[in-house]
């Protein structure tokens, strides 16, 4: 395992020297990976100290971007790494350094305990609960270490390697009348367990259970509210009603056949979801794709960004009580689907990107369809801005509502449009361009107040910028192949396969077993429709991923809700839920 | 045509599995000797037809969604597909006002007791459409947290295949449900008849359309838009 450290990486890896200087070289193990960030193993006893150090170092790591675990027990290729049965990894992000840092802690089976990070990075709370749920790792000192994604009555920890993946390995599901009562009782909200009082002075608080099925929670999200009249005193979001085990699924699908599962993570994002996964796999495989494939990918990803933002706009305004916008935006979505379907052959989940390129070349006449869409949209966006966002009722409901500052957003791991609405000009497509975004000319819209209105308005402007990008794709679509000429391109280019026995065999093996990727770790982050979405892949030299960690933006955004909404009113909560643009599959995966 | 008889058991023990109640396949109750009576039989037939016609053309869907399929279901409600053409545009946010529940998305083990609760809160007559592969069978999610088909505990009237089904497929599913409702024999009052719900066993569309499907010899090339 070797990595080449280029000039640009030198600043990224500077933190390693700073850590060595502070904690001593003997106490750290630096793991070479393809992730493009330093990966440093530290002892459990030093974890909190290390975290406080990187949080306060010059050019600090302000955001806990991700935190999760790995079951290392079956991993074959671990040479040079500290012995571990389980690993907890912490991924931190620094805006000033424009880079990440990964800290890993090795754990042994008979002592699965790590000190909690909740006091250093506030947003560690939910991540630690998820790791507890999935791996059974205890976070000592955690304020409320209970199950997060699985039902409270669940047995076992699903992401452990000895836990069966398939539902068909268990007895078929049945539900009895008493079983239903039991499950419902287990879900009952207990205010005392969350340290909430039922009375205070002469006020009796009301506890309102909103969801998991409610028209304004966009799927299956539940939030328990402590109310004093209309005022939300405190609230507890409850997730896990949409956990499809996508990370476990990756451990049994081949690198290629996992692509359709990525589409369904942020299900309004379509092929946008393929992008971080495919890019991470290509890093492992060492594939450089052609400029044409890159441009096609960018164009389709931006089509889906527009599509997702249109869905957002319609439902957001509907949550505010406006009935008609959804009819307008959905007819635009229909036009977008017309283009998407002509090119990819499917509407919501095309699974169209491939390792080494895309599934198919652009069909003849694609340019006409894209041109029609580009001509159609701008006047519509102007109209939306005028008719909806200038509407005085919408303004009353949204301006100055559920505001948060940039610092708060970073503390809670908020990314994407919700972060930019606070005025921070941070867009990964500009900050660290991937898939050829450096070749495009576009602006980063930002808000000023970080309120519900800004979050809505910003997305209209983002659609305009996406149209600009698509326009440039249309005008400058490079000629060439839509697939890279590389042995791991899956499936390999067909014309080559028909001429050489070697490529025919490769094709046969890739279809029957799937491509084999060398043991290493890779990572790719993208600016997805809802914020930063990333795939952290661990290959153990097999046809399947050893561990796939999917970091989704909506998870962080939902954890942020209580900090924003406590002290506000119930209608503000609804407006806020509409404005953060989440889908539950992007939260629970 | 054969019918599926459902009889509710109000005294079912707590240990009974969902769906609770008696279910068996029977012949059309209107073919029984007692209904062959020229006067009463005809009148009953007309009554069933009229009531069913009313029911099928004003199906109020429950605003209930689980995952991706819900987006395509919502698309069917909006202007380009306009579900109002089929009398189903009255989305209800309360199960007590709704007639049809569309299980649009993946049914999770954590969610199943809640779905059952919501279904129980709906008032008869009520129907369930299972939309998409996940709801039909678990689909591509054969994984620990997913119920392998919502029919493990709910009685399903129409299954819509697809991942997700197109809005047009949802509209077709709705029309198939309407066809099936037209054939139903529900008690016309609470004093007459045996109080059983008789739902027609509708033919499988897959078999019905097989000849048409295999007759296709040329598929459109993906090289053209």
């Amino acid at each position: 395992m070797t990595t080449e450290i280029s000039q640009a990486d030198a600043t990224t890896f500077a933190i390693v020297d700073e850590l060595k200087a502070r904690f001593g070289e003997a106490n750290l193990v630096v793991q070479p990976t393809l992730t493009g960030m330093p990966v440093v193993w530290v002892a459990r006893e030093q974890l909190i100290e290390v975290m406080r150090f990187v949080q306060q170092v010059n050019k600090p790591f302000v955001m806990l971007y991700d935190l999760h675990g790995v079951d290392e027990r079956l991993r074959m290729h671990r040479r040079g790494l500290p012995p571990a049965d389980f690993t907890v990894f912490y991924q931190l992000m620094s805006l000033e350094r424009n880079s990440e840092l990964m800290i890993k802690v090795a754990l042994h089976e008979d002592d699965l305990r790590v000190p909690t990070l909740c006091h250093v990075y506030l947003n560690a709370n939910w991540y630690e609960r998820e790791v507890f749920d999935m791996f059974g790792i205890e976070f000592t000192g955690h304020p409320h270490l209970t199950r997060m994604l699985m039902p409270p009555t669940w047995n076992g920890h699903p992401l452990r390697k000895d836990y069966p993946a398939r539902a068909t390995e268990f007895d078929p599901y049945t539900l009895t009348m008493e079983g239903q009562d039991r499950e419902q009782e287990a879900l009952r909200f207990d205010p005392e367990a969350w340290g909430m009082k039922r009375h205070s002075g002469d006020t009796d608080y009301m506890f309102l259970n909103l969801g998991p099925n409610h028209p304004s929670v966009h799927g299956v999200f539940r939030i328990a509210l402590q109310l004093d009249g209309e005022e939300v005193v405190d609230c507890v979001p409850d997730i896990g009603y949409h956990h499809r085990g996508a990370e476990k699924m990756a451990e049994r699908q081949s690198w290629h056949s996992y692509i359709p599962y990525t589409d369904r993570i942020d299900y309004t994002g379509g092929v946008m979801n393929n992008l971080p996964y495919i890019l991470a796999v290509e890093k492992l495989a060492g594939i450089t794709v052609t400029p044409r494939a890159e441009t096609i990918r960018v164009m389709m990803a931006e089509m889906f960004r527009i599509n997702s933002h249109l869905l957002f706009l319609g439902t957001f305004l509907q949550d505010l009580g406006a009935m008609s916008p959804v009819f307008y935006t959905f007819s635009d979505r229909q036009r977008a689907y017309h283009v998407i379907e002509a090119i990819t052959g499917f509407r919501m989940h095309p699974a169209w990107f491939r390792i080494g390129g895309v599934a198919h070349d652009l069909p003849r006449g694609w340019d006409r369809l894209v041109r029609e869409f580009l001509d159609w949209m701008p006047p519509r966006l102007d109209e939306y801005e005028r008719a909806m966002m200038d509407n005085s009722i919408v303004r009353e409901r949204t301006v100055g509502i559920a505001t948060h500052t940039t610092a708060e957003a970073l503390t809670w791991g908020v990314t994407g449009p919700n972060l930019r609405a606070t005025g921070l000009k941070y867009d990964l497509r500009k900050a660290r361009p991937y898939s050829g975004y450096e070749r495009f000319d576009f602006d980063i819209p930002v808000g000023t107040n970080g309120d519900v209105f800004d979050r809505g308005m910003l997305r209209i402007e983002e659609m305009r910028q996406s149209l600009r990008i698509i326009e440039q794709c249309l005008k400058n679509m490079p000629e060439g192949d839509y697939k890279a000429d590389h042995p791991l391109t899956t499936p390999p280019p067909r014309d080559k396969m028909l001429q050489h026995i070697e490529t025919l065999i490769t094709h046969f093996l890739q279809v029957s077993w799937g491509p084999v990727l060398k043991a290493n770790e890779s990572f790719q982050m993208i600016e997805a429709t809802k914020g930063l979405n990333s795939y952290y892949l661990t290959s153990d030299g097999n046809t399947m991923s050893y561990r796939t960690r999917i970091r989704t933006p909506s998870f962080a955004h939902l954890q942020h809700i209580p900090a924003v909404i406590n002290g506000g009113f119930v209608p503000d909560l609804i407006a806020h839920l509409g404005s953060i643009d989440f889908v539950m599959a992007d939260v629970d995966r | 045509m054969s019918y599926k008889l459902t009889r509710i058991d109000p005294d079912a023990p707590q240990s009974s599995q969902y769906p609770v109640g008696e279910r068996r396949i029977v012949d059309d109750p209107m073919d029984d000797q007692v209904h062959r009576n020229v006067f009463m039989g005809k009148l009953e037939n007309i009554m069933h037809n009229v009531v069913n016609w009313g029911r099928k053309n004003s199906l109020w869907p429950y605003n209930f969604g689980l995952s991706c399929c819900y987006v395509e279901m919502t698309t069917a409600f909006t202007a380009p597909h306009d579900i109002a053409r089929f009398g189903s545009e009255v989305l209800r946010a309360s199960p007590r006002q709704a007639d049809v529940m569309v299980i649009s998305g993946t049914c999770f083990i954590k969610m199943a007791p809640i779905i059952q609760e919501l279904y129980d809160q709906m008032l008869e007559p009520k129907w369930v459409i299972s939309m998409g592969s996940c709801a039909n069978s678990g689909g591509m999610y054969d994984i620990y947290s997913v119920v392998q088909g919502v029919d493990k505990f709910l009685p399903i009237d129409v299954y819509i295949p697809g991942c997700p089904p197109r809005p047009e497929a949802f509209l077709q599913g709705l029309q198939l449900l309407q066809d099936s409702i037209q054939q139903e024999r529900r008690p016309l009052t609470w004093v007459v008849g045996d109080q059983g719900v008789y739902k027609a066993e509708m033919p499988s569309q897959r078999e019905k359309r097989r000849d048409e499907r295999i007759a296709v010899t040329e598929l459109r090339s993906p090289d053209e838009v």
Side-chain angles (χ1 to χ4, degrees), chain A residues 212-224:
Chain A
N213 177 53
H214 184 275
S216 66
V217 296
H218 299 221
V220 281
F221 169 55
R222 177 182 176 212
I223 183 164

Side-chain angles (χ1 to χ4, degrees), chain A residues 232-282:
Chain A
V232 180
V233 180
D234 200 355
C235 59
V236 179
D238 181 22
I239 62 169
Y241 298 93
H242 201 292
H243 175 61
R244 284 201 278 217
E247 293 179 14
K248 185 85 171 176
M249 188 62 90
E251 294 170 18
R252 74 155 204 254
Q253 298 289 332
S254 75
W255 295 103
H256 172 66
S257 66
Y258 186 63
I259 299 170
Y261 289 93
T262 65
D263 279 82
R264 289 156 179 82
I265 299 294
D266 162 15
Y267 52 68
T268 60
V271 296
M272 176 80 88
N273 295 285
N274 301 160
L275 196 55
Y277 174 70
I278 289 289
L279 291 175
V281 171
E282 282 166 0

